[in-house]
Structure formats: structure tokens, C-alpha cells
Amino acid sequence: MLQQIERIGLEMEKQKASNKSLTAPSISADSEYRCHPALRGGQPPLPNKFTASQMESLTAICNTFVPSLHMSASAAPNGTLSTGFGQKEIRKKSSCDEIESFYRLSASDLEVPAQAAGMLCAWTKPMQFFLVSLVLWLLATRLGTFILCGRASMRRKAPYYLERFAMLPCAQREKVLQSWSKSVFWRLQMLFKLLKCYILFAFYSKVDKNGHNPSWAAIGYTLPHLRADHDRQHKFSTHLQHQNVHHFDQLHNKIINANTATEEMLQMLLHSAGFSVSEDVSRLWKHWINGKSFVDQEKLQGIVIRCDVVVVGSGCGGSVIAALLAQEGYKVVIVEKGDNYNRQDLPLLEGPSMGAMYEQSGALTTEDGGVILLAASTLGGGSEINWSASFRTPPHVLQEWSQKYQLKQFESTEYQMAMDKVCQRLGVQNKVQHESFQNAVLRKGCENLGYDCHNIPRNTSSDHYCGWCCFGCPSGQKQSTTETWLHDAVAANAVILTGCKAEAALLSPNKGPSGKARQAKGVVARAGRSSKMIFIESRATVVACGSLFTPPLLKKSGLKNANIGRNLHLHPVQLVWGYFPEELEPKGKSYEGGIMTAVSRIAADWDKSGYGALLETPSVHPGVFAVATPWCSGLDFKERMRRFPRIAHLISLTRDCGGGTVDASSDGKLIINYTISEKDKESSTQGAVHGLKLLLAAGAEMIGTANIDGEIFIPKDQSDCITDQIDHYLKRVRGGMFKKLSTPLMSAHQMGSCRMGVDAKTSAVDPGGETWEANGLFVGDASVFPSAVGVNPMITVQSVALCIGQSVLRFLQKDI
């Protein structure tokens, strides 16, 4: 027994040590990152299901998107680049060797085919994967190549015969990909889009174990650890030395990694945190509706944790509710499927960070591939990787929710006080000491055109100059839930289980007076990918795993309400861009500085319904830039990438009135269907047009959209802003913006899929966030929004969650 206790004690010390590395991140070009293993470069590719012949086709496609090019074809020996767009020649600081190496690099040189194959196998939808597999198989044959490529598959010199795709010259393969991108068959368009996104993201974000990508020097991308102006960046070591170490330890000592902890260690840690634990799982088995389809009862193993409240999800909703209830003296267990990445262990590498901290590595899409969905999969949820924007719920939204949906609390003093409390806890302020390049462009264009422009409130200090917060905030200045509400929760009476995926809510027949058919009894969860089951028995259950995952969880739990999974809103975003040569103002690089500090409402219809589009600036790093940039040819794309640091992107963020649906297949994969409405198309386009005008007014030398046609508008002089030339260009933009899959859309805000309302016929939860079918089962995230909020939703999510937390509190007090 003594040896067993000593062994468990050693395991506990290892767990604590892995949670609190207090050394600031260190990096050099010749040494490995000191960071969390999952965030380090040099990760092996995901499993590959393709055959050798299919891989031959995929490799040829990869090397068509990213071909090896000779220096003479694109750049002069002195480092001056010819753009091919009739633009003035631009001189880069990159050395001639770096430029030549960049152009000679092919996708195969970085082992991209294997990485792209793993991503395609792991993340594509079943229909998408079938299409990719079929096309790769066909391209491995002469006849199949002829069917998909037409005359381009014919050998151009005698003797004439058909060739397999991989044997075609690169120029012919380029023509094939170009034809797919604009094909009348939308599935070929979708195929092109999938392959382009995966391959180019992999090439420009892939790093070795030293955090190095050989293309970065030529495109002007430098990690913050290596920048010459290091003192104006994160100031890692200096800032961390002034952190309250006790504050840091208190959170991480209450985090238990259920994926790595042994059952004995898990019980020991929970007991030490004051929670009752047993192995009597059979008692709760009967409350697991559909449980037999997941695991045989006779083979069931696991533990039972008893608490007052279990909260599924640690993001903006779940963390607030957990903190409120824990501070009221209730024992709270927070279940989080993602892992915990300490801020000291964040290397800020785009590829590994997105792979570890985003759903499906940031490759999640709607069924037709029309919208790329960015959603968090880490402790702290979206607050950990968002861009700090902290808007209060707009007045027109509160009025709509109160009057149209009869939810009177949204025009109450209680809700205003909730927003006040949230903003105070997050330290929200709207000042900025030094504006980033992109935000300075937005502000300058607004001033020159007379557009409105406002400072964005942020949950950071005014001097926070960081363009990498989308990969976590190493300085801790951004007040995410791991810096605020989760700390409050564990400081009171809560414990966090990471690497623990909720499988279903436990429901029993309800014998109480509520009139509801079922009573919530807790949650059953799985530790990582193991068969180890964790039953969490509770008096109240809160599901707050986001608008994409809350509906499938409720359905798996046995709920039948028709509104669960419907009314999904996405705030669809499209990008426009402008290029500013280095000699032009404003100075800086696109990936530096505060991500969002300025916003224009010129296209938002702000004083009326709010169903329009905001103009903001996005976070852009090489991989995401490559995904959003049109591909017309291998040479054209590399030249576009050379402009990367001085391209200012603006986003048109639409408050969508149309909606979609979300569900899950039998194997747990999300099924997301969303078609943008005609009204939302018009709003999005109007925002994009204003954005293009704004970029020209700010002095951009060339402008464009993310449309697949890759058209670039180059004004001869600034007077062109009011000439027929710009009008004709903008008319083409309006006409071609929403042809099938022609313009990539993105979404970082998912809302409304379990809408709140006053009756079960039109909503999934009641005004207090409780489900209509189960007593004591609450939903506490953005899925309860009655409609899209139209601004970055963090403050609204937390304020709504605070009000729902009060409902849970009243339920617990009544249930004594």
C-alpha cells in the first residue's frame, strides 16, 4: 500500500509539473522550442488511407499548386521582383539566395503530399472524401485523366497518346486545376477548393522541430521571438516575472488531464479536491439513453464523481456559469474535451497551434465546402484564441430579442448589470497606444472617405501589441477565461477535467411537479480516446460546448425538440485586400500588432435593424493567407505570397438573417448545412465594396477580393476612385461575388442552434436556459441566441451565461 501511494504521489507531481512550467518560451534557429509537445513543429502526418497510385496523383496536384520554379522566371538577380500585374517593380529586403530558394521550393520538398493526405483523410466530410478518393483514382489512369482533364491529357508531341495526370507537364496540369476552379460542375469547384486549402495551408504553415519554414524568410514572416523589435512585442520574460505566480498555480493545480491520468491518480486528485468518487457505475447506467450503442454494459468500466453541478465546456459560457455557482458554495465539475496549454508553453506556430487548439485543425467546413468554420478546441474555448474584441450587445439586438422573441430580460436592468460585471471582470477598455498596420489602414481610409470609425473595446491593456493571440496569449494580458472565470471557479469550489469528452447527459424519468418528462442526473464522459468512462452525477447539468457541439450532445442524450440544431447563424465573413508597398504609410506588417482595434459601421445599418456588415481587420498568418488568396498559377501565387507582409486585409462581417442546421453522423462527425440568404449576400457584398473603396482611399497600390478569378484592380492614380474605372470594377465584384463557391467564406462566430424562446414550438430552451424536455438540464453558450448578434459575441455570450447561471442557482436553491 505504501508503494502504491508513493507511486501515485510521483504521478501527481509529474501532472503538476506538466501544468506549471514557469519558464518563458525560448527559441533559436538551432534549438528546439521549449513548448507543449502538441504545439511543437516536426509533428508526424495524420494516418493516410490513400493507395500508392492515388498518392502519385495527389503528389502531382501538390506540385502543381506549389511548383519548383527557376529564378529567372520571376525575379532578377538583384532581388527585384516582377509581379506580372503591370505593377511597378517592388524591391524586397530578402536576400537573392532566399528568394531563389523560395521559388525553387516545391510542395514535395516540404513533404506536403503526406501531410495533405492525412488532413484529407481525417477532416473531410464522407461525401468530400469519396469525391477526393475517386478523382485521385481516376487521375492515376489514362482514361480517368481524359474524363477529368479533356484534351489537356493528350501528349503534345508525336507519338500522340493519353497520359496519366502525374505524367503531364506542369503547365498542362495548371490548366486543369484552373478549369476545375471555374467548372460548371460545382463538385469539381469544391474539389479544387478543398485541395487548394489543404495543400497551400500545409506548405506555408509546416515547420520542422526548430520552428522553421524555409519559405518564411522570402515572404517576410518572422516569429515574435526572433524579431528585431522584440521589446515592443510580447515582452515574455519581463511580463511573466511580474505575474502573480499563486494566481497561475491555483488554476493549474485544479486541472486534471483525464486522458493521461490513471484511474487511481484520477481518484486521488479528485478526493484531494474534495469530491466524492466511487466505482459504482452500474447505478447510473440506466440513465444513459442509447448507452448500449456506445459500450456494452457488461464491459463497462469507470468511475462515478458526485457534485452539485457538472458543466460541459470551459469557454465563454461554461466558465462564467461554473464561476458563479462555485462562488456560491456548490461543488462544480467542468468537463473539457480539449487540452490545457499553459501560456508559458505557447510557441505561436501557426500550423501546430491550429492543429492542437482548433476544431479539425481549422479545416472544419459546411457540407458543400462553402464556409470554413473556425472553432476552438482547447481549455478556455474561443476566449483563448479570439481577437480580443469585446462589444456589448447592441441596443437594436436587445430590442429585437425583447420584443420580437418576447424575452423581456434583454431590456432589463439585470442584463445591463450582467454586461457591466462581465466587462469589469475582463478589464474591457477601448484605448489603443499603437495601432497595427491593418487597423491604421482601416482608420485612414475611413477618415479620407468620411466613413465612421470607432475604437473596438478589448479585454486587453491599451499597449497590448500582439498579432498572435489567435494561437493563445503567452503574456496573459488578454483576459481569456483561463485568466478570469476559470480561475474564479477553481479558487472557490470547482475542478476541471481536460481531455474528457462528454458523450451524453444522463436523464431519468421525472417524478417532480415541473411537468417535464425527464430529470437531468449528470453526464457520462469518455477520457480521451480510451474506453475509460467517467460518470458525473449532479443535481444540475449545464451543456455549454458551443453552437456546433451542443445540439448533437442534446440529441444523443435523447432530447427530441425539433428546434435543436436549427437556426444556426455564422456571421459569414469575406475578405478584401489592398497592397501597400513598403515606402507607403502606414508602416508595419500585416501580422503585427493588435488584431482588432478599429471598426466601421458604414455598411451595418446600425441605427435601424443592424442586419448589415461591419468592417474589421482579421488575424492573418502565412497559412491562412494562403487559404484566402486566389490561386491562378504556381508563379502567380508565389508572387502574391511575396507581398504578404504589406497586404492589408479587411473583413466584411455580416449579421445573417438566414440560418442553417447542425447535426452529427453516427460516427460523431458534424453535419453542417448552411446556405447564405439573398439578403445576407447583399449585405456582405455591400460591406466588401465599401472595404475596397476604403483601401483605395487609404492609398493602396492595388486591391482585390478572395474571389477565385483572382482579378486585381490597379488604379493609375487616386483620381480613379471617382471614375468609371472603379465603378466598373466594383460592378464586376458585385456580379461575381456569390456565384457557386466562387468566393470563400469564413465563420468564427457560430450562434443560435438551440434558440431561447417562450414556447417549445419555436425554441429549444426557455428564457432561463433550461431545456423544455428535461428538468435541471440547462444550455449556457451562444447556441441560445435568438438570432445573430451582429458583433463579435464574447461579451454577449458571457452576459447571457451570467443570467442563465442565476437560473441554475435558483433551481439548486429550490431543489434542496
Side-chain angles (χ1 to χ4, degrees):
M1 176 64 72
L2 182 61
Q3 291 179 340
Q4 185 182 30
I5 293 174
E6 288 177 347
R7 177 173 57 79
I8 294 174
L10 287 172
E11 290 178 346
M12 290 172 64
E13 290 300 319
K14 290 179 181 178
Q15 168 103 6
K16 290 180 180 180
S18 68
N19 278 339
K20 57 175 185 178
S21 170
L22 296 179
T23 305
S26 172
I27 178 173
S28 71
D30 302 314
S31 63
E32 293 187 9
Y33 276 95
R34 298 174 189 171
C35 67
H36 192 287
L39 302 178
R40 185 176 294 124
Q43 298 286 340
L46 294 165
N48 179 2
K49 301 176 184 177
F50 295 128
T51 65
S53 59
Q54 287 174 316
M55 281 304 300
E56 180 189 48
S57 301
L58 180 59
T59 299
I61 291 173
C62 290
N63 289 331
T64 308
F65 277 113
V66 189
S68 177
L69 302 168
H70 291 290
M71 183 75 167
S72 58
S74 55
N78 64 2
T80 301
L81 177 66
S82 174
T83 66
F85 298 123
Q87 172 206 7
K88 298 176 182 177
E89 291 184 334
I90 54 174
R91 189 176 300 275
K92 297 288 184 181
K93 293 182 179 179
S94 307
S95 72
C96 297
D97 289 342
E98 289 169 345
I99 296 172
E100 183 173 0
S101 296
F102 170 62
Y103 280 96
R104 287 186 181 276
L105 274 177
S106 69
S108 291
D109 292 332
L110 269 62
E111 299 178 349
V112 166
Q115 185 171 346
M119 295 167 71
L120 289 165
C121 292
W123 303 131
T124 50
K125 310 288 184 182
M127 183 272 290
Q128 294 171 346
F129 180 72
F130 172 78
L131 177 64
V132 171
S133 298
L134 176 63
V135 168
L136 294 180
W137 175 75
L138 286 171
L139 292 178
T141 67
R142 288 184 170 88
L143 180 59
T145 302
F146 176 71
I147 293 172
L148 290 170
C149 307
R151 288 185 297 177
S153 62
M154 181 73 68
R155 191 174 185 272
R156 295 302 173 90
K157 296 180 180 180
Y160 301 104
Y161 53 82
L162 298 177
E163 288 276 22
R164 301 194 321 274
F165 183 81
M167 304 307 295
L168 297 175
C170 186
Q172 287 176 242
R173 298 199 307 266
E174 278 192 345
K175 289 181 180 178
V176 171
L177 295 186
Q178 289 164 358
S179 69
W180 289 357
S181 72
K182 301 175 183 178
S183 174
V184 295
F185 301 106
W186 75 267
R187 292 190 187 278
L188 276 180
Q189 279 196 46
M190 182 179 69
L191 175 72
F192 170 85
K193 185 174 181 179
L194 284 173
L195 293 171
K196 178 239 180 188
C197 290
Y198 284 137
I199 291 166
L200 294 177
F201 179 83
F203 182 83
Y204 287 101
S205 67
K206 185 179 176 66
V207 290
D208 60 23
K209 66 178 183 179
N210 298 318
H212 175 66
N213 180 300
S215 72
W216 286 353
I219 66 174
Y221 183 66
T222 310
L223 290 170
H225 318 71
L226 303 177
R227 297 194 56 76
D229 54 348
H230 176 80
D231 60 326
R232 202 180 69 183
Q233 297 295 327
H234 294 291
K235 306 177 183 179
F236 295 108
S237 300
T238 303
H239 188 79
L240 289 171
Q241 288 171 2
H242 292 86
Q243 292 292 310
N244 186 327
V245 176
H246 175 68
H247 172 101
F248 181 79
D249 283 351
Q250 199 165 29
L251 172 63
H252 294 280
N253 286 341
K254 288 288 191 77
I255 297 173
I256 303 171
N257 188 331
N259 195 26
T260 58
T262 64
E263 192 167 306
E264 293 171 316
M265 179 182 173
L266 190 60
Q267 293 192 43
M268 177 76 77
L269 291 168
L270 288 164
H271 277 304
S272 67
F275 288 82
S276 173
V277 184
S278 72
E279 297 182 2
D280 183 18
V281 297
S282 59
R283 182 173 55 82
L284 290 175
W285 167 263
K286 60 184 179 181
H287 302 316
W288 187 3
I289 298 175
N290 303 323
K292 292 181 181 179
S293 63
F294 293 95
V295 61
D296 189 341
Q297 183 178 4
E298 296 180 358
K299 298 179 181 179
L300 184 64
Q301 295 181 344
I303 62 172
V304 176
I305 306 170
R306 293 183 181 85
C307 61
D308 294 307
V309 184
V310 57
V311 178
V312 182
S314 63
C316 289
S319 63
V320 173
I321 296 173
L324 170 65
L325 299 176
Q327 289 173 330
E328 289 291 333
Y330 294 99
K331 290 186 178 296
V332 180
V333 174
I334 303 168
V335 176
E336 172 56 57
K337 73 172 183 178
D339 287 326
N340 170 39
Y341 302 106
N342 301 340
R343 63 173 181 255
Q344 288 78 9
D345 296 333
L346 298 173
L348 308 182
L349 295 170
E350 182 182 24
S353 296
M354 292 192 73
M357 303 175 79
Y358 286 71
E359 287 294 342
Q360 295 190 10
S361 303
L364 183 63
T365 71
T366 53
E367 287 298 296
D368 66 356
V371 185
I372 299 172
L373 302 158
L374 299 178
S377 182
T378 183
L379 182 69
S383 72
E384 201 69 17
I385 58 172
N386 71 15
W387 304 345
S388 301
S390 303
F391 293 99
R392 287 174 174 255
T393 315
H396 53 260
V397 175
L398 294 176
Q399 183 180 35
E400 178 187 302
W401 290 357
S402 175
Q403 298 179 14
K404 180 179 179 179
Y405 296 98
Q406 300 298 305
L407 298 166
K408 301 303 181 184
Q409 68 265 37
F410 288 109
E411 287 190 310
S412 69
T413 303
E414 177 190 6
Y415 188 75
Q416 292 298 325
M417 291 175 63
M419 286 198 290
D420 290 341
K421 182 174 180 179
V422 166
C423 289
Q424 182 181 14
R425 185 64 187 93
L426 270 57
V428 175
Q429 59 81 43
N430 66 351
K431 295 180 180 178
V432 56
Q433 289 188 16
H434 182 74
E435 203 143 48
S436 70
F437 162 63
Q438 293 195 130
N439 283 279
V441 166
L442 171 58
R443 197 176 298 275
K444 181 180 178 182
C446 286
E447 290 173 353
N448 290 343
L449 288 176
Y451 289 177
D452 74 287
C453 188
H454 306 270
N455 283 3
I456 293 180
R458 296 181 296 155
N459 61 335
T460 65
S461 60
S462 62
D463 65 344
H464 189 56
Y465 192 80
C466 170
W468 280 265
C469 280
C470 49
F471 311 133
C473 185
S475 71
Q477 286 181 299
K478 184 174 76 171
Q479 296 297 286
S480 64
T481 64
T482 55
E483 300 293 331
T484 53
W485 302 109
L486 291 177
H487 173 265
D488 296 344
V490 301
N493 224 357
V495 68
I496 302 171
L497 300 180
T498 60
C500 189
K501 184 176 184 291
E503 295 288 347
L506 300 172
L507 304 177
S508 69
N510 182 29
K511 300 177 181 178
S514 69
K516 296 182 179 181
R518 299 189 180 278
Q519 172 72 42
K521 290 292 184 180
V523 163
V524 59
R526 189 186 300 274
R529 297 179 180 177
S530 70
S531 60
K532 181 169 58 181
M533 307 304 296
I534 300 174
F535 287 82
I536 305 169
E537 186 177 13
S538 63
R539 294 166 55 197
T541 301
V542 179
V543 178
C545 40
S547 295
L548 299 180
F549 291 92
T550 288
L553 182 62
L554 294 179
K555 288 185 176 182
K556 282 175 66 178
S557 304
L559 271 61
K560 304 295 184 182
N561 184 290
N563 295 290
I564 296 174
R566 296 176 61 189
N567 309 302
L568 175 68
H569 298 286
L570 298 181
H571 278 177
V573 161
Q574 64 166 305
L575 292 90
V576 295
W577 59 268
Y579 172 65
F580 294 77
E582 290 183 356
E583 63 270 15
L584 295 183
E585 294 288 342
K587 300 298 184 182
K589 298 184 184 298
S590 58
Y591 55 88
E592 291 179 333
I595 298 171
M596 281 185 169
T597 57
V599 60
S600 176
R601 303 169 183 167
I602 186 65
D605 197 26
W606 191 262
D607 295 328
K608 296 179 181 178
S609 69
Y611 283 102
L614 294 178
L615 288 176
E616 299 176 326
T617 60
S619 169
V620 182
H621 293 269
V624 170
F625 179 88
V627 168
T629 299
W631 183 93
C632 298
S633 71
L635 173 59
D636 171 271
F637 196 83
K638 286 190 174 183
E639 291 179 340
R640 290 176 187 257
M641 289 302 300
R642 288 285 311 282
R643 297 190 187 85
F644 160 66
R646 293 291 295 172
I647 286 184
H649 275 98
L650 302 180
I651 58 174
S652 172
L653 185 152
T654 302
R655 184 187 183 204
D656 48 331
C657 54
T661 62
V662 59
D663 204 341
S665 60
S666 58
D667 61 355
K669 286 194 173 184
L670 290 178
I671 303 171
I672 305 165
N673 287 291
Y674 182 88
T675 301
I676 188 168
S677 71
E678 292 302 318
K679 169 66 171 66
D680 297 332
K681 288 179 182 178
E682 176 59 32
S683 297
S684 181
T685 302
Q686 189 69 12
V689 168
H690 278 294
L692 291 166
K693 290 180 179 179
L694 187 155
L695 289 163
L696 280 178
E701 189 173 276
M702 58 173 66
I703 59 171
T705 69
N707 192 284
I708 56 172
D709 63 17
E711 182 181 1
I712 292 174
F713 179 74
I714 306 171
K716 296 177 181 178
D717 56 59
Q718 290 304 303
S719 64
D720 284 343
C721 292
I722 55 174
T723 63
D724 290 342
Q725 189 180 7
I726 181 64
D727 291 338
H728 289 158
Y729 170 69
L730 295 178
K731 185 177 181 180
R732 291 195 298 275
V733 168
R734 289 188 179 96
M737 190 63 73
F738 283 102
K739 291 180 180 177
K740 188 66 177 179
L741 298 181
S742 60
T743 299
L745 297 175
M746 295 186 180
S747 165
H749 308 151
Q750 298 89 39
M751 303 150 285
S753 53
C754 289
R755 182 161 66 186
M756 181 184 288
V758 294
D759 66 78
K761 293 181 179 180
T762 59
S763 60
V765 299
D766 68 17
E770 190 175 24
T771 59
W772 292 109
E773 301 166 77
N775 199 39
L777 178 59
F778 295 82
V779 175
D781 54 33
S783 65
V784 304
F785 287 10
S787 62
V789 69
V791 296
N792 303 66
M794 177 170 63
I795 299 301
T796 302
V797 177
Q798 296 192 14
S799 301
V800 171
L802 201 57
C803 295
I804 292 174
Q806 292 291 343
S807 297
V808 181
L809 181 59
R810 288 190 290 269
F811 171 85
L812 292 168
Q813 292 169 342
K814 180 180 65 175
D815 191 48
I816 294 176

